[in-house]
Amino acid sequence: MSDNHIRGISTTLALLDKALCEFDRWANGHEIRSVLYQVENPLSLGRRRLIVGEVAAMKYMLEEMRETLNLELTVRSADRMITSSCSVLWASLLELESRHLRRYGELPPGLAEYLDPKIAPLNKGLRRIRTAAAGSQPP
């Protein structure tokens, strides 16, 4: 196989493996309860067991494929994942400022005065998280 074949196959199967890791967490009862984001987990014990078994079988097959085809391992670094996510979220938060929200129509009275002062501290928090993840000293 060419290097392009190996990279293409490795990338697709790494995405599958990443999804299987997430399925496994959910099958083991993982839930998320935060302020504006929640993942409920209504999976019954029987359904969880089926998922865990299927994930294990698929990972076994992926391992065999990696060894047989000499596929590349995709390694992601948590610090880089955090810093890149912070950069994307920083830009998204700026879009919540009233001057940008006006593209959706006239803002209700008081929304700009309420929302605009909250954006800078949220972005400052993202910068602190990004700095911590990057291993830099905070400003």
Side-chain angles (χ1 to χ4, degrees):
M1 285 190 305
S2 71
D3 286 344
N4 288 336
H5 289 123
I6 291 172
R7 277 192 296 278
I9 294 168
S10 295
T11 299
T12 299
L13 295 181
L15 290 171
L16 172 61
D17 195 20
K18 179 183 175 189
L20 292 175
C21 290
E22 195 164 317
F23 300 163
D24 193 52
R25 278 195 309 272
W26 292 334
N28 283 294
H30 181 71
E31 290 187 333
I32 299 172
R33 298 194 193 292
S34 194
V35 179
L36 290 171
Y37 178 75
Q38 184 170 318
V39 176
E40 295 177 338
N41 191 341
L43 294 171
S44 68
L45 183 60
R47 291 169 35 197
R48 289 178 186 198
R49 286 182 179 153
L50 287 172
I51 293 168
V52 166
E54 200 60 42
V55 165
M58 292 175 72
K59 284 188 173 199
Y60 181 80
M61 186 180 300
L62 290 176
E63 186 174 0
E64 185 270 328
M65 292 172 73
R66 184 192 75 209
E67 291 172 6
T68 301
L69 300 175
N70 197 30
L71 299 176
E72 297 173 356
L73 177 65
T74 299
V75 178
R76 299 286 314 260
S77 173
D79 56 350
R80 288 187 178 166
M81 292 172 66
I82 291 171
T83 57
S84 63
S85 290
C86 285
S87 297
V88 170
L89 291 167
W90 173 82
S92 296
L93 279 174
L94 287 179
E95 295 294 317
L96 294 181
E97 291 178 340
S98 60
R99 62 189 167 122
H100 298 291
L101 286 177
R102 285 191 172 86
R103 70 176 161 245
Y104 300 115
E106 192 58 36
L107 298 178
L111 181 59
E113 294 78 13
Y114 174 78
L115 196 55
D116 284 352
K118 304 225 184 276
I119 303 305
L122 290 172
N123 268 328
K124 189 173 185 178
L126 283 175
R127 282 193 304 274
R128 286 182 183 145
I129 291 169
R130 186 178 188 284
T131 299
S136 306
Q137 294 297 319

